[in-house]
């Protein structure tokens, strides 16, 4: 009994396995057949398209070329039409132009050679004029410099001495003046000179010693006036007499 039961179980197992394999095989065949039919349809469509394209290509290749209509010879032109001249050949025009240009170049060469001496002469003339202008400028500058120096030196030589300025200032005054007043007035009239009170006082004392000025005191202040003409001449003559005696 046990042996029969084991054989029945094995049989049932094999049966179930075979049934499953058969179903699996059937399904795979169906899938593949479906794919094959789809591929066949695609192949058939491609074949149809190929045939259409081939026929179109053959039709294009076999089509005749369009014919050009030839114009009638000696046809009468309508009134008002303009005839366009045929273009000239480039080779002939270029050769003619070259022939015309070559004589011009040949004729231009002598003129250039003739222009060289003229250009040299012009350059030499420009150099001479430049030299002359330079010399004129130098001389003009020298003259202006000499004039400026002469103008500068002239006031220096023509300027009176401080003694002459003080003596002339006293001669112009009608009242006695102090050294400070004289220094102030001379500084105003001659701003280019440095006038100091001490120098003016020393100059005034020198004029008093030579009797060319008079000194008066009013309290502690000292005033100076110009000496009379007779008194001023006497010291001058006295200075001249010893000089003549020594001679």
């Amino acid at each position: 009994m046990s042996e029969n039961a084991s054989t029945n179980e094995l049989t049932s197992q094999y049966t179930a396995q075979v049934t499953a394999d058969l179903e699996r095989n059937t399904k795979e065949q169906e899938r593949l057949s479906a794919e094959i039919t789809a591929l066949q349809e695609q192949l058939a469509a491609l074949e149809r398209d190929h045939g259409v394209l081939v026929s179109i290509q053959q039709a294009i290749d076999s089509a005749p070329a369009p014919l050009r209509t030839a114009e009638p010879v000696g046809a009468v032109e309508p009134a008002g039409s303009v005839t366009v001249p045929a273009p000239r050949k480039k080779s002939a025009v270029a050769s003619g132009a070259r022939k015309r240009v070559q004589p011009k170049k040949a004729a231009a060469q002598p003129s250039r050679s003739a222009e060289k001496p003229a250009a040299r002469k012009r350059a030499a003339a420009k150099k001479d004029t430049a030299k002359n202008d330079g010399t004129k400028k130098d001389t003009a500058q020298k003259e202006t410099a000499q004039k400026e120096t002469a103008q500068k030196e002239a006031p220096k030589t023509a300027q009176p001495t401080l003694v002459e300025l003080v003596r002339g200032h006293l001669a112009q005054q009608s009242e006695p003046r102090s050294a400070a007043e004289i220094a102030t007035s001379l500084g105003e009239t001659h701003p280019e000179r440095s006038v100091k009170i001490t120098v003016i006082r020393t100059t005034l004392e020198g004029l008093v010693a030579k009797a060319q000025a008079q000194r008066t005191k009013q309290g502690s202040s000292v005033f100076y006036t110009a000496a009379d003409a007779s008194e001023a001449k006497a010291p001058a003559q006295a200075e001249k007499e010893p000089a003549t005696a020594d001679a």
Side-chain angles (χ1 to χ4, degrees):
M1 291 293 291
S2 61
E3 292 177 0
N4 291 329
S6 61
T7 54
N8 290 329
E9 289 178 359
L10 289 171
T11 303
S12 62
Q13 289 178 358
Y14 284 130
T15 302
Q17 186 173 359
V18 169
T19 302
D21 292 338
L22 286 171
E23 289 178 357
R24 193 182 301 110
N25 192 352
T26 303
K27 290 179 180 179
E28 189 68 20
Q29 287 179 8
E30 290 176 357
R31 185 182 66 78
L32 291 174
S33 61
E35 290 180 358
I36 289 168
T37 54
L39 291 172
Q40 286 177 351
E41 289 177 358
Q42 291 179 2
L43 180 61
L46 292 172
E47 288 176 353
R48 285 194 301 272
D49 294 339
H50 183 268
V52 172
L53 293 172
V54 169
S55 62
I56 292 170
Q57 187 178 12
Q58 289 176 357
I60 291 170
D61 292 337
S62 61
L67 298 174
R68 294 181 181 178
T69 57
E71 294 181 358
V73 180
V76 179
E77 295 179 355
S81 63
V82 180
T83 59
V84 179
R88 295 179 181 178
K89 293 181 179 180
K90 293 183 179 179
S91 60
V93 175
S95 62
R98 288 175 183 174
K99 289 180 181 179
R100 288 194 296 273
V101 170
Q102 286 177 356
K104 288 182 180 179
K105 289 182 179 179
Q109 287 177 357
S111 62
R112 289 179 181 175
S113 61
E115 286 177 357
K116 287 182 180 179
R120 290 176 182 173
K121 289 180 180 178
R122 287 195 294 271
K126 286 180 180 179
K127 288 181 180 179
D128 294 335
T129 53
K131 288 180 180 179
N132 293 328
D133 293 336
T135 53
K136 288 179 180 179
K137 287 180 181 179
D138 293 336
T139 52
Q141 289 177 357
K142 289 179 180 179
E143 289 177 356
T144 53
Q146 290 176 357
K147 287 180 181 179
E148 288 177 357
T149 52
Q151 288 176 359
K152 290 179 180 179
E153 291 176 356
K156 292 180 181 179
T157 56
Q159 283 181 357
T161 60
L162 185 60
V163 176
E164 293 175 353
L165 290 174
V166 173
R167 187 168 53 205
H169 181 73
L170 290 174
Q172 292 174 1
Q173 303 301 318
S174 59
E175 295 179 355
R177 297 290 178 183
S178 64
E181 292 174 348
I182 295 169
T184 303
S185 60
L186 289 177
E188 291 176 356
T189 55
H190 299 280
E192 72 278 2
R193 303 187 69 164
S194 60
V195 180
K196 295 181 180 180
I197 298 172
T198 56
V199 178
I200 296 298
R201 188 177 291 108
T202 303
T203 305
L204 289 168
E205 292 297 330
L207 292 173
V208 171
K210 295 178 181 178
Q212 295 180 1
Q214 292 179 357
R215 179 177 57 192
T216 57
K217 285 187 178 181
Q218 294 180 2
S220 60
S221 301
V222 179
F223 295 92
Y224 298 91
T225 57
D228 294 335
S230 59
E231 293 178 358
K233 287 180 181 178
Q237 290 177 356
E239 289 178 359
K240 288 181 181 178
E241 287 176 358
T244 55
D246 294 336

